Short mmCIF file of all heavy atoms in Angstrom, two decimals:
data_model
loop_
_atom_site.label_atom_id
_atom_site.label_comp_id
_atom_site.label_asym_id
_atom_site.label_seq_id
_atom_site.Cartn_x
_atom_site.Cartn_y
_atom_site.Cartn_z
N ALA J 31 12.79 31.61 20.71
CA ALA J 31 13.78 31.71 19.73
C ALA J 31 14.38 33.19 19.66
O ALA J 31 13.70 34.22 19.81
CB ALA J 31 13.12 31.46 18.35
N MET J 32 15.74 33.25 19.41
CA MET J 32 16.39 34.54 19.34
C MET J 32 17.39 34.43 18.11
O MET J 32 17.74 33.28 17.84
CB MET J 32 17.09 34.88 20.56
CG MET J 32 16.15 35.11 21.79
SD MET J 32 16.85 35.82 23.33
CE MET J 32 17.18 37.55 22.70
N TYR J 33 17.68 35.55 17.56
CA TYR J 33 18.45 35.72 16.23
C TYR J 33 19.52 36.88 16.42
O TYR J 33 19.16 37.89 17.12
CB TYR J 33 17.67 35.97 15.11
CG TYR J 33 16.37 35.05 15.02
CD1 TYR J 33 15.26 35.29 15.86
CD2 TYR J 33 16.22 33.92 14.15
CE1 TYR J 33 14.07 34.47 15.80
CE2 TYR J 33 15.06 33.30 13.99
CZ TYR J 33 13.93 33.55 14.86
OH TYR J 33 12.91 32.78 14.71
N TRP J 34 20.53 36.78 15.65
CA TRP J 34 21.37 37.87 15.39
C TRP J 34 21.57 38.03 13.95
O TRP J 34 21.93 37.10 13.22
CB TRP J 34 22.77 37.67 16.00
CG TRP J 34 22.91 38.19 17.50
CD1 TRP J 34 22.86 37.44 18.64
CD2 TRP J 34 22.97 39.53 17.91
NE1 TRP J 34 23.05 38.18 19.73
CE2 TRP J 34 22.99 39.54 19.29
CE3 TRP J 34 22.91 40.77 17.31
CZ2 TRP J 34 23.08 40.65 20.08
CZ3 TRP J 34 22.91 41.97 18.06
CH2 TRP J 34 23.05 41.78 19.35
N TYR J 35 21.30 39.24 13.44
CA TYR J 35 21.43 39.51 11.97
C TYR J 35 22.48 40.66 11.84
O TYR J 35 22.71 41.59 12.80
CB TYR J 35 20.11 40.12 11.33
CG TYR J 35 19.05 39.02 11.19
CD1 TYR J 35 18.09 38.86 12.26
CD2 TYR J 35 19.03 38.19 10.02
CE1 TYR J 35 17.18 37.74 12.08
CE2 TYR J 35 17.95 37.32 9.93
CZ TYR J 35 17.14 37.06 10.87
OH TYR J 35 16.14 36.16 10.75
N ARG J 36 23.07 40.73 10.67
CA ARG J 36 24.03 41.70 10.27
C ARG J 36 23.40 42.44 9.12
O ARG J 36 22.87 41.91 8.17
CB ARG J 36 25.46 41.18 9.95
CG ARG J 36 26.32 42.19 9.35
CD ARG J 36 27.74 41.60 9.04
NE ARG J 36 28.43 42.56 8.26
CZ ARG J 36 29.92 42.57 8.51
NH1 ARG J 36 30.49 41.90 9.33
NH2 ARG J 36 30.55 43.51 7.61
N GLN J 37 23.49 43.84 9.09
CA GLN J 37 22.91 44.66 8.11
C GLN J 37 24.04 45.48 7.49
O GLN J 37 24.78 46.31 8.22
CB GLN J 37 21.77 45.57 8.54
CG GLN J 37 21.11 46.26 7.42
CD GLN J 37 19.93 47.10 7.77
OE1 GLN J 37 19.70 47.29 9.00
NE2 GLN J 37 19.10 47.50 6.82
N ASP J 38 24.35 45.36 6.27
CA ASP J 38 25.26 46.31 5.55
C ASP J 38 24.42 47.21 4.48
O ASP J 38 23.48 46.59 4.04
CB ASP J 38 26.41 45.39 4.81
CG ASP J 38 27.20 44.62 5.95
OD1 ASP J 38 28.18 45.18 6.40
OD2 ASP J 38 27.01 43.44 6.02
N PRO J 39 24.95 48.36 4.28
CA PRO J 39 24.31 49.15 3.21
C PRO J 39 24.03 48.43 1.82
O PRO J 39 24.91 47.78 1.28
CB PRO J 39 25.27 50.29 3.05
CG PRO J 39 25.96 50.42 4.29
CD PRO J 39 26.18 48.90 4.70
N GLY J 40 22.75 48.57 1.39
CA GLY J 40 22.50 48.04 0.12
C GLY J 40 22.30 46.52 0.13
O GLY J 40 22.09 45.99 -0.96
N GLN J 41 22.29 45.88 1.27
CA GLN J 41 22.13 44.44 1.32
C GLN J 41 20.99 44.17 2.18
O GLN J 41 20.53 44.97 3.09
CB GLN J 41 23.43 43.73 1.84
CG GLN J 41 24.58 44.00 0.91
CD GLN J 41 25.81 43.08 1.31
OE1 GLN J 41 25.54 41.89 1.76
NE2 GLN J 41 27.00 43.58 1.25
N GLY J 42 20.48 42.98 2.04
CA GLY J 42 19.34 42.53 2.96
C GLY J 42 20.13 42.08 4.27
O GLY J 42 21.32 42.14 4.36
#
Side-chain angles (χ1 to χ4, degrees):
Chain J
M32 296 189 74
Y33 316 73
W34 274 105
Y35 289 91
R36 170 176 170 146
Q37 184 178 18
D38 295 283
Q41 300 190 35

